[in-house]
Amino acid sequence: MENPSLETNTYALRYGLLLGLISVVFGVMIFMLEMHYQQDQKIGIVSLAINLILIILGLVAFKKANGGYISLAQALKTGLGIALIAGIIAVTYQLILVTVLDPDTIQKTIDFQMEKIRMEQPELPAETLDQIE
């Protein structure tokens, strides 16, 4: 039934590093396309799909190595471990992006969103727009 020598940490580390690496590559791709400040819904959906696929692949690999058995505790531990490791890598990349690669990211995001508001709601008074900024 359960293989006591099989560690969830190994799979969490392996797939967490893989997910973190893929997330950074995806982030660099978005940065190179100058889309990193637009907060596009399609980018979020692709990122979520990548996360889910790699977490599921990690759980499936653990289950296969464990003789087709995985307990809920093992699945939670492995899945959360993958997400935690990938999250640390992704946050580190975001910090490097905002502080080193493109320090104007926050201002670009604000400007982009304000322009989007102006295009979608041209009837808004200038005072309201000034309050938003």
Side-chain angles (χ1 to χ4, degrees):
M1 187 155 124
E2 186 176 344
N3 186 352
S5 65
L6 196 58
E7 290 290 325
T8 59
N9 300 346
T10 306
Y11 290 88
L13 182 62
R14 182 180 306 146
Y15 284 90
L17 289 173
L18 182 61
L19 178 55
L21 177 67
I22 290 172
S23 296
V24 168
V25 169
F26 184 68
V28 169
M29 183 183 73
I30 297 301
F31 173 70
M32 297 301 243
L33 293 171
E34 291 281 326
M35 297 174 67
H36 61 287
Y37 57 87
Q38 295 180 8
Q39 300 176 347
D40 190 11
Q41 184 178 10
K42 293 172 192 157
I43 294 171
I45 290 170
V46 170
S47 180
L48 179 64
I50 291 169
N51 285 309
L52 288 175
I53 289 168
L54 276 159
I55 290 172
I56 290 170
L57 285 175
L59 294 175
V60 168
F62 178 84
K63 182 177 177 181
K64 183 184 274 187
N66 200 27
Y69 174 79
I70 188 169
S71 69
L72 179 60
Q74 290 170 325
L76 288 173
K77 192 172 163 183
T78 305
L80 287 174
I82 293 169
L84 177 68
I85 293 167
I88 291 170
I89 293 169
V91 165
T92 304
Y93 165 72
Q94 287 296 324
L95 285 173
I96 292 170
L97 172 70
V98 171
T99 58
V100 177
L101 297 175
D102 189 11
D104 298 330
T105 299
I106 296 172
Q107 189 58 47
K108 286 180 182 178
T109 303
I110 292 168
D111 294 343
F112 180 79
Q113 293 300 328
M114 288 304 297
E115 188 60 35
K116 192 173 173 182
I117 290 171
R118 285 186 186 100
M119 296 295 278
E120 290 176 355
Q121 300 179 6
E123 70 279 350
L124 279 178
E127 299 84 31
T128 305
L129 291 174
D130 290 339
Q131 287 177 350
I132 294 172
E133 286 185 70

